[in-house]
Amino acid sequence: MISLSDLRKFKAEGRKFSCLTCYDASMAKAMEIAEIDTILIGDSLGMCIQGRDSTLPVTVEDMIYHTAAVRRGNNHAFIFTDLPFMSYATLNDALASAKSVMQAGAHMVKLEGGAWLSETVSTLTRNGIPVCVHLGLTPQSVHVFGGYKVQARTRETADQLIADCKAVVDAGAAVLLLECVPAQVGKEISELFPNTPVIGIGAGVDTDGQVLVVQDMLGLTFGRVAKFVRNFMKEQSGETAILDAFKAYHVAVMEQSFPAKEHTFQIEL
Ligand code: KIV
């Protein structure tokens, strides 16, 4: 089973790693067979599984249920679980929520935010709970942003994002996840932290790992699809199509053919 030390080793060696969201045991097994390196039980399950229009209604109980199902189906990947909206608003809430999802089978928890999470990150880390901090576009704050928009589009806002990354890494964050930022910002942040793996979604090809929502990469998202998504299912056929889509994604991440230019935000700062 892949560990946090393996992710650090991959970064040191320049070996990219794959991550997909997953919410159930059978998909988790298919991801094990396809050798997907890491799995995120994302609160995107609010939209993908529950049919909600944002991640906000998702509860800790939902995350426990899906984490346990995924963990039973997969013996290979390093597993991250999102702490949902408002479940880490106080230190006590954060400890209780993180304890529950770790006991359900997560190897790491993911929180959305920036420098203001430093105390939460250090408290969780001191209590033996590794933390990934999700920065850039953070969907739990969609109503603060006023929509799902590319972040850090200017030198000033990129520097603010970098300062947030430094603060949470200093507090103990073991992994960073960047969503919807210019490719140049994804590269700068990945290079800045030699011991901290950085995962990107819409953050360019130079982050250490890549993540996609599984429904997006299987072409099961109807309506608007984000620029950073590639449909890996389109290229497959036959009864092993889903498995082959996962394998093709893993290979494309390793070879850095995904994300291509058309999946990234090329913005001059
Ligand atoms: O919940 C989720 O699926 C996520 C990804 C978009 C990174 O946080």
Side-chain angles (χ1 to χ4, degrees):
M1 191 173 264
I2 291 180
S3 66
L4 178 56
S5 325
D6 291 320
L7 300 186
R8 292 192 179 116
K9 193 162 92 131
F10 294 161
K11 174 158 187 149
E13 291 167 350
R15 180 236 196 246
K16 301 290 176 184
F17 60 88
S18 55
C19 182
L20 285 173
T21 68
C22 186
Y23 319 101
D24 68 81
S26 50
M27 283 289 185
K29 181 54 73 183
M31 288 181 197
E32 177 183 297
I33 296 167
E35 297 184 351
I36 298 296
D37 297 307
T38 66
I39 284 178
L40 170 66
I41 296 99
D43 58 1
S44 50
L45 69 84
M47 285 98 106
C48 300
I49 305 295
Q50 299 175 336
R52 317 265 195 183
D53 55 15
S54 78
T55 60
L56 272 56
V58 176
T59 64
V60 175
E61 286 66 36
D62 295 331
M63 301 312 297
I64 294 169
Y65 176 87
H66 289 282
T67 300
V70 168
R71 185 62 194 278
R72 285 191 286 265
N74 189 293
N75 281 311
H76 172 70
F78 185 73
I79 294 179
F80 303 71
T81 294
D82 268 331
L83 295 192
F85 180 62
M86 290 302 283
S87 69
Y88 49 98
T90 67
L91 292 181
N92 282 344
D93 287 348
L95 282 167
S97 306
K99 175 183 171 191
S100 304
V101 299
M102 295 295 285
Q103 287 182 334
H107 300 135
M108 174 175 267
V109 297
K110 175 164 82 60
L111 320 178
E112 295 185 6
W116 60 95
L117 281 180
S118 296
E119 200 184 352
T120 309
V121 171
S122 62
T123 302
L124 292 174
T125 306
R126 274 201 313 277
N127 280 278
I129 299 165
V131 179
C132 168
V133 179
H134 180 158
L135 305 102
L137 173 59
T138 48
Q140 290 174 13
S141 306
V142 59
H143 299 304
V144 176
F145 294 133
Y148 297 97
K149 298 176 183 161
V150 181
Q151 303 296 304
R153 305 171 67 102
T154 62
R155 189 66 259 169
E156 195 188 350
T157 51
D159 286 343
Q160 181 54 57
L161 178 65
I162 290 170
D164 281 330
C165 290
K166 280 187 180 146
V168 294
V169 168
D170 286 349
V175 175
L176 300 176
L177 188 148
L178 299 177
E179 178 164 355
C180 276
V181 297
Q184 182 189 332
V185 176
K187 181 172 169 28
E188 280 181 33
I189 293 175
S190 305
E191 287 173 356
L192 200 58
F193 302 104
N195 299 316
T196 310
V198 178
I199 305 176
I201 176 163
V205 73
D206 292 304
T207 56
D208 307 303
Q210 296 292 334
V211 59
L212 281 178
V213 171
V214 66
Q215 277 78 2
D216 286 348
M217 59 85 73
L218 291 179
L220 290 172
T221 301
F222 303 99
R224 192 185 151 272
V225 175
K227 176 183 170 72
F228 52 74
V229 171
R230 172 170 151 195
N231 180 344
F232 284 83
M233 192 69 172
K234 235 197 234 163
E235 305 146 27
Q236 318 302 331
S237 62
E239 62 189 23
T240 60
I242 291 181
L243 209 51
D244 294 340
F246 292 162
K247 288 180 182 167
Y249 169 70
H250 179 69
V251 169
V253 169
M254 300 281 284
E255 289 175 346
Q256 298 174 62
S257 57
F258 176 79
K261 278 231 161 66
E262 70 258 31
H263 307 117
T264 63
F265 302 103
Q266 306 286 336
I267 297 169
E268 291 284 323
L269 300 186

